[in-house]
Amino acid sequence: MSEIRIEGLRHSYARNPTASDLWALKQVDHVWRDGGAYALLGPSGCGKTTMLNIISGLVRPSEGRIFFGQRDVTEVPTERRNIAQVFQFPVLYDTMTVRGNLAFPLRNRGVGKVERQARVEEVAAMLGLSDSLDLRAAGLGAAEKQMISLGRGLVRADVAAILFDEPLTVIDPQVKFSLRRKLKEVHERFKPTLIYVTHDQNEALTFADQVVVMYDGEVVQVGTPEDLYERPAHSFVGYFIGSPGMNFLPVQPDGERLVFPGGALALSGTVAGALPDRGALKLGIRPSAVRLSGGKDPGAIPADVIDVEVLGAYAIVELALGPTRIKARVRDGAPIPSGATGVTLPPEQTLLYSDERLIGALA
Amino acid sequence: MIQADNNRAWFLVLPVVLVVAFTAIVPLMTVVNYSVQDIFGPNTRVFVGVEWFREVIEDDRIRAAFARQFLFSFLVLLIEIPLGVAVALILPLRGWRSSLAVVAIALPLLIPFNVVGMIWQVFARPEIGLLGAGVNALGIPYNYTADPLSAWATIIVMDVWHWTPLVALLAFAGLRSISPAYYQAARIDGASRLAMFLFIELPKLRNVLTIAVLLRFMDSFMIYTEPFVVTGGGPGSSTTFLSINLVKMAVGQFDLGPAAAFSLLYFLVILLFSYIFYTILQQVANK
């Protein structure tokens, strides 16, 4: 087992890519640590599946190299890489029993009967498939079928990494939870590198130690779920993670202040001296960081409450700061003013972005 | 079970029942009617019971034609189904090459049956036909008008040329519908090309192949036009198939009673064998 290192990876499905939008992957350099549980998060069409297929060797990249440890595997065909992959829809060999399905990768690799049986029994016990080993795989439910797909990866003693391409799409919400727990168990027991592609942020955040966020063919941030929530490195991450997403306010620097239509904030903190000469500036603040100060705070920005949406344990308050709209998230039961009020944007939680990239906080 | 709330549904089914009655059931009943009567003239007819059926069953020529017909259908299925699947497997799956190949392969299916017969009749002539003259030039004696084996070979090859495209197109459609994820998973599982065929493609082709087997069985069992044009049933009666017999009986000799009895038996045999094929293929799949 070893880390998976990706260097200078670019990929296009077009034969002669010229325009930048023809590149499915624009530029990716990344190291997947050995034994890590990663989520690869991003919207549809951002290049997640392409990245996965390049790691497993189903797609050959246009440019760049892939290393498993010290070994360059860019040219190595799929069947000789130590990679297993679970697809969005369960892929089964319909005519075989569950046992036949689980044993198939081993039979293809010439593993002896005794060892094969032992591995199949072990993996089936782990995945809770022991009782259905002699049933026809085609007759089982979607969740069991995905377990079999996963099992075909786990039986191989040589597997260093298991790739998941949105494996829970067809699974009922109630069953999803137990499947995710099963995945965690598998990870703790076998310690393979897991790379889990999803566009569901809850799935990504509960599953992974490290979340890799992709946007438009590039990796925009790698971090723990907390990092992604508290300090999004790219405005897309702020917008994509959290419900509702981060508020963004286009601002103009004006001496010691940052001005937006409807208000201004003091330009303070480390970013004060580091303002780029050009590039569109934006302030980003999480709805949960926005404070409704009701006009008591002298530095508050005047605002009008225009809508309140109560969602169980919390409420979303939509505010108008002049022509600018922002959302605040407040705990249920906290007083919500109506009509004219004031808001405070705490500088340590107010982040400044230039051309969508984070420069720093206002404190 | 779902219980019907009222019987109004029957009215919705009624148009279909009427159409089927007039297009299928009524004509079939007239045949049943002929099969149990001896008709001398418009107003003179005698009820003869199962006499015609007995006559047909005991007729040696018809028995021989049945045997010939089974052999023909058996050979045709044996060649066309595997060949059709093989052709489908080597066709390009997507792109303009795929469209071109599909059109080229489908051409024989667009030719009228009697024209197919004419093409092969000329093509296979030992003295002037490209195929016939060519085979003879290789030193193999070949003359479909004189030698039963040559006649059979000609008709089998003609049928393979004419109908393998149908099997190939059905199999191709089946292959196209297989999600790429299956092939990707098989590559990750280290499966060989043969294993992919046996465990992915063949099982997924089950339904289209059932249709192909049934269609090819029924059509080959009813074959008439092409052998009639090429050999006329000869030499001797070596390529006289059931339908050629039937037409001679009904139209040539105007023996309506025996012809009707023969038709019914012919129909029942096709129905029975189609049912057997269908049942076997479904059971193989669910085993």
Side-chain angles (χ1 to χ4, degrees), chain A residues 141-332:
Chain A
E144 279 117 335
K145 286 182 177 174
Q146 273 309 43
M147 277 293 146
I148 297 171
S149 302
L150 171 61
R152 281 206 315 269
L154 291 175
V155 285
R156 286 162 53 194
D158 63 340
V159 161
I162 305 180
L163 316 180
F164 296 87
D165 193 354
E166 306 197 24
L168 301 185
T169 310
V170 293
I171 310 292
D172 288 340
Q174 292 92 330
V175 188
K176 270 186 187 176
F177 181 76
S178 68
L179 285 191
R180 276 207 298 263
R181 209 180 47 208
K182 198 113 234 169
L183 271 182
K184 284 234 158 197
E185 271 176 51
V186 166
H187 184 238
E188 274 155 31
R189 173 119 170 244
F190 294 106
K191 280 285 171 197
T193 308
L194 297 185
I195 304 177
Y196 189 105
V197 162
T198 179
H199 59 242
D200 177 342
Q201 51 164 310
N202 291 323
E203 226 168 89
L205 301 183
T206 55
F207 168 81
D209 321 327
Q210 290 272 304
V211 180
V212 178
V213 185
M214 288 189 68
Y215 176 63
D216 197 20
E218 285 176 280
V219 171
V220 289
Q221 188 168 12
V222 182
T224 62
E226 293 76 33
D227 292 339
L228 299 186
Y229 189 78
E230 281 160 16
R231 287 184 76 85
H234 188 280
S235 64
F236 170 76
V237 179
Y239 153 82
F240 198 63
I241 299 208
S243 174
M246 204 170 211
N247 294 303
F248 286 103
L249 298 79
V251 291
Q252 294 286 339
D254 176 21
E256 296 294 293
R257 298 190 314 155
L258 291 169
V259 184
F260 59 91
L265 283 176
L267 179 56
S268 55
T270 49
V271 296
L275 273 193
D277 296 340
R278 53 174 147 203
L281 289 179
K282 266 185 193 174
L283 285 179
I285 183 158
R286 288 281 173 200
S288 54
V290 175
R291 259 178 242 139
L292 295 173
S293 45
K296 280 172 283 178
D297 185 340
I301 301 162
D304 288 309
V305 174
I306 51 177
D307 192 25
V308 179
E309 203 181 334
V310 180
L311 298 166
Y314 60 91
I316 305 296
V317 182
E318 199 176 347
L319 301 153
L321 283 65
T324 305
R325 299 283 159 93
I326 66 168
K327 284 179 175 162
R329 178 170 157 159
V330 296
R331 267 192 348 280
D332 189 32

Side-chain angles (χ1 to χ4, degrees), chain A residues 50-95:
Chain A
T50 304
M51 168 97 103
L52 219 56
N53 287 343
I54 287 175
I55 295 173
S56 62
L58 295 170
V59 171
R60 226 182 133 264
S62 311
E63 291 171 27
R65 322 286 317 160
I66 306 148
F67 297 89
F68 289 4
Q70 293 308 309
R71 177 172 163 231
D72 183 342
V73 296
T74 316
E75 310 289 333
V76 175
T78 300
E79 57 273 20
R80 289 201 277 116
R81 296 189 188 192
N82 311 337
I83 294 281
Q85 194 166 349
V86 178
F87 295 89
Q88 189 167 11
F89 297 97
V91 174
L92 292 180
Y93 304 103
D94 289 345
T95 50

Side-chain angles (χ1 to χ4, degrees), chain A residues 2-78:
Chain A
S2 49
E3 62 176 32
I4 300 170
R5 192 152 42 90
I6 290 170
E7 285 182 2
L9 191 69
R10 284 159 66 76
H11 186 72
S12 172
Y13 291 102
R15 197 164 296 166
N16 294 306
T18 44
S20 75
D21 58 339
L22 286 175
W23 291 94
L25 290 178
K26 287 183 177 142
Q27 173 74 32
V28 179
D29 297 273
H30 186 66
V31 176
W32 310 88
R33 209 167 27 75
D34 183 23
Y38 289 92
L40 187 51
L41 186 65
S44 301
C46 71
K48 295 171 301 198
T49 299
T50 304
M51 168 97 103
L52 219 56
N53 287 343
I54 287 175
I55 295 173
S56 62
L58 295 170
V59 171
R60 226 182 133 264
S62 311
E63 291 171 27
R65 322 286 317 160
I66 306 148
F67 297 89
F68 289 4
Q70 293 308 309
R71 177 172 163 231
D72 183 342
V73 296
T74 316
E75 310 289 333
V76 175
T78 300

Side-chain angles (χ1 to χ4, degrees), chain A residues 87 93-94 108-109 152 156, chain B residues 184 188-190 204 285:
Chain A
F87 295 89
Y93 304 103
D94 289 345
N108 291 327
R109 288 176 172 78
R152 281 206 315 269
R156 286 162 53 194
Chain B
Q184 297 175 341
I188 287 164
D189 290 339
K204 300 268 173 214

